[in-house]
Amino acid sequence: MNTAFSILADLTAAPDQDGSPGHTLSRRLVHSADLKIQLLCHGDVVIIGDVFPAARSPTVAAFEGSGSDPLDFLAAFAGAYWGRYVGLARNPKTGELAIYRDPSGMVPCYYGHSERRVSIATDAVSICTQLGIRPTIDWSSIANHLLAPDRRQSTTCLDGITEVLPGELVRVGRDGVRRELIWKPADYAGRNLEIRFGDAASLIETTFAQAVAVWSARYPRPLVAVSGGFDSSSIAALAAQSGPIDLLVYFARSPLADERSYAGQVAKHLGLKLHAEFCDPRHAQVRRNLSAARPRPSARAFTQVFDRHAEMHGEALGTAAHFNGGGGDNVFGKLHSAYPLADRYLHEGLTRHLPRTATDICGATGASLPSVLRQALAAVSGRLPGKTWPGATELLSRKTIDMRDDRLHPWLDTETPLWPAQKQLIRNIARATAGTDHLHIEGALPTIYPLLSQPLVELCLSLPTWFWFEGGRDRAVARAAMKVHLPAEILERKLKGAFDGLVYQIVDLNRAAILEDLKNGALASQGLIDVETVGSVMGGNGSNEVHAIRTLHLHEVEMWCRHWC
């Protein structure tokens, strides 16, 4: 399995069996080949994964020479390095342990603990085995997962197993647990409000290119999944500047799921061969949930088809990693709202620039001017909808809807003043980090999301939110940044593909099994789904692609629950 680790640590100050204190972390660490290991502070700090120095960062040697508590060392290290990693630190005098997960979320991290021991891992099975526990399902968390699967909280769907959220430092000791955000997106929001549009585009180009170059050096000859969309095409173009890459496009028999023509334009522009693979819905095994080992359902049945082809090509081509364009819409400000107009008003007041921003939003979203003005006015006056996170209630019971927990995501639970679009951008980036563990679960190669690189995320948070709509185009400043790297057909493209039709085909092929499982399963027994409506929409006439996507997601959660019931 790729990107996996587990470790069991003592919460005591007792020395190891050989009498030497402190080194229990490295001795009990098991990890996959893609995760590099660094031992710092005489072995009391372990860095698991890829770390790269931020601009003007002190050297590791300078950090180690400070003589600080290993837990304080880890907190300082987190502020000076970025990448794809989890950091662990143990105070040999007290036995207290600290866990830090970098903001990208690319390395999953969960923990469970007893009075004397703490287990940290990328999966729940390892934690249960190390602690000798059999956790029960937290049905309230299942309900909230059904309502908003990309809204991560520290609580998981298994009692006693907790997630370390991206950017969070968790301290575990004999006296309890303390949680603290070390990386706070609100600290970066609006730092560059006075920058000019052209300068912002240049900064994005430089930062994006540097991040992709760093990942390409770490993982030579990546296999880049391209759709012909802006985000994946940008990664391919920048990665190709650092060395050999391979391009892979998926297609299916549905109107929006065949983007070989767009991907072909990217391949032609880069002078590369394009590998194209047909996604056969018959290859999806709906009763097999690949995230069964994790403490919450996170696998999607339809991605099994993608994973199969990606693994085959990765092995044949000798690639080191998969590069994916996931998170691009989120980081590059595809907000699809009038909130940037509100932000601009709150920053500048009534200026001559507001009408242009309003019409830019209309052009990018297709919304009418009156609706844009109404939403912006509501945002300025504080009359925003009560829900802080988008969710879906379709096919759920009243009981589930009433169980919704509207606590703020920790990234948004801040005293730092934020404007409406800044909040939306932070929320969208948080949603992107929740999706980094959907792909290539069982293959040997890791999946890298260059668009979630910390320097790029921090830069995009700092820019004026109205820049993303400049000229009536979504992600406008990012498109300007990539102007010299991509063909015009990709830069100007407004529509994007989708595999909704593939999902519908999978559901259609497995309709009877899905309906049987949902009517007689764990979700129904807990009263979390509307069984009658599920039966109606799955009966044939009431079914459509929207219902199919929702029903398949319910079934995926059902299959996860059956593993732990």
Side-chain angles (χ1 to χ4, degrees), residues 520-533:
N520 303 299
L523 297 179
S525 68
Q526 293 292 323
L528 298 182
I529 59 175
D530 185 339
V531 176
E532 183 177 344
T533 304

Side-chain angles (χ1 to χ4, degrees), residues 550-564:
R550 181 60 168 167
T551 305
L552 188 58
H553 180 234
L554 296 183
H555 189 262
E556 291 156 355
V557 176
E558 173 68 32
M559 290 299 101
W560 180 91
C561 291
R562 292 188 181 197
H563 178 82
W564 293 99

Side-chain angles (χ1 to χ4, degrees), residues 462-482:
S462 76
L463 301 177
T465 56
W466 50 93
F467 276 8
W468 302 114
F469 289 91
E470 187 83 14
R473 300 185 304 170
D474 65 71
R475 296 168 288 177
V477 67
R479 293 181 191 270
M482 293 301 297

